[in-house]
Amino acid sequence: MNKDSPRPSTTQTQTQTQTQTQTQTQTQTQTQTQTQTQTQTQTQTWAWFLAERVRETQAQRRERMRTRLLEAAVAGLVEAGYSGTTTLAVQKRAGVPRGTLQHHFPTKADLLTGVVEFLAARRSAQLASELAAIPPTGDRLAAAVELSSAMFTGPTFLAALEIWVGARTDPELLATFLPLEERLFALMYTTVRDIFRAEFPNDPRVPTITEFTIEIMSGLAMRALLTGRVDRTRILQRRWQNAARILLGAATPDTLLDTAQ
């Protein structure tokens, strides 16, 4: 340093040092504030994420338990009938505490309402599955009859049949069940009619043949439940196919001559 250069005073040196210290402190404070803000944001984000995961898991658990209870009720209807399907029986079949059943279905009426909606959804899904299984080519009339017949078989149909039994003397259950059942039959009618129309597109007799097909197949199914004569049901189903073909002008009356007994 030049000997002639003025040397900074002690006061100036202290002031500069204090200024630098204050600047460093402010910088550190800003850094700490930013870090705290980022930490808070991350914490809030994780808290929201975990809360959403918990809610989602709870909803899934609730739906699984509800389905478990409804499946137990359907199995009870099939095996024990309407009168034997009590809330206690459903609880035991599902293997859950009494409070669990009451939490989801406080009364038997609530349980049966849930069963009705559950069955309606399953039967609609069955109808869609049966329709999807029909090959794009082949005998459409036979396919329409077979689809109608398939809708009146299996545990879902048996459970629905037991609900019909209960609804006959239970106005509250009937009020819930009948609209859904009518909606299902309307959907079934439209589906079967459209299959018939694939082979007979402009025939005005198709709607009537569709109604006859559904009613005959449902009647045959109920008769088979009582008699156990599934073989007889198959013979009568084939005869109706022949009759429908005759009524639609696609076959001669002699095709009804069937000696199978």
Side-chain angles (χ1 to χ4, degrees):
M1 179 180 293
N2 192 326
K3 292 181 180 181
D4 297 330
S5 298
R7 300 181 67 179
S9 66
T10 303
T11 301
Q12 290 176 336
T13 301
Q14 291 176 345
T15 300
Q16 291 175 354
T17 302
Q18 289 175 353
T19 301
Q20 290 175 352
T21 301
Q22 289 176 353
T23 301
Q24 291 175 352
T25 301
Q26 290 175 353
T27 302
Q28 289 175 352
T29 301
Q30 290 175 352
T31 302
Q32 289 176 351
T33 301
Q34 290 175 353
T35 301
Q36 289 176 352
T37 301
Q38 290 175 352
T39 301
Q40 289 175 353
T41 301
Q42 290 175 350
T43 301
Q44 292 172 353
T45 301
W46 274 105
W48 173 85
F49 176 75
L50 292 174
E52 288 296 310
R53 288 295 299 273
V54 169
R55 279 196 291 269
E56 181 183 8
T57 301
Q58 288 175 343
Q60 289 174 341
R61 283 201 299 265
R62 176 181 175 81
E63 186 60 29
R64 280 196 299 271
M65 179 54 68
R66 180 182 172 85
T67 299
R68 179 176 171 178
L69 293 169
L70 291 173
E71 286 178 342
V74 169
L77 287 168
V78 173
E79 295 182 17
Y82 177 79
S83 61
T85 306
T86 63
T87 53
L88 180 59
V90 172
Q91 172 209 332
K92 290 182 177 179
R93 185 180 290 273
V96 300
R98 182 70 174 172
T100 300
L101 177 62
Q102 291 179 333
H103 174 72
H104 290 272
F105 303 103
T107 66
K108 183 176 180 179
D110 294 326
L111 175 62
L112 291 176
T113 297
V115 169
V116 166
E117 295 170 348
F118 185 68
L119 287 174
R122 282 207 165 178
R123 294 173 74 195
S124 296
Q126 179 188 356
L127 179 61
S129 177
E130 295 288 349
L131 178 62
I134 297 176
T137 59
D139 189 340
R140 309 302 289 178
L141 186 147
V145 174
E146 289 171 4
L147 180 142
S148 300
S149 178
M151 288 300 297
F152 299 107
T153 59
T156 303
F157 167 67
L158 295 178
L161 193 59
E162 290 297 329
I163 293 291
W164 268 111
V165 172
R168 187 182 72 83
T169 56
D170 186 337
E172 184 179 355
L173 180 59
L174 181 64
T176 301
F177 181 61
L178 192 57
L180 291 173
E181 193 72 0
E182 288 179 339
R183 194 180 308 165
L184 176 65
F185 268 79
L187 180 59
M188 192 187 309
Y189 168 83
T190 301
T191 302
V192 174
R193 182 202 61 196
D194 290 348
I195 298 172
F196 273 119
R197 280 182 172 169
E199 189 167 343
F200 307 94
N202 301 313
D203 198 314
R205 294 167 289 190
V206 163
T208 299
I209 298 300
T210 299
E211 290 181 344
F212 283 176
T213 297
I214 294 173
E215 297 300 332
I216 290 171
M217 292 305 108
S218 64
L220 288 177
M222 294 181 189
R223 186 171 185 272
L225 287 176
L226 296 176
T227 65
R229 292 289 308 278
V230 178
D231 55 341
R232 181 66 178 169
T233 299
R234 296 298 297 177
I235 291 172
L236 294 174
Q237 179 180 325
R238 186 175 67 251
R239 287 179 178 175
W240 171 245
Q241 288 182 18
N242 294 338
R245 211 176 298 279
I246 293 168
L247 291 171
L248 289 168
T252 58
D254 60 350
T255 56
L256 271 183
L257 299 177
D258 188 345
T259 59
Q261 298 297 323

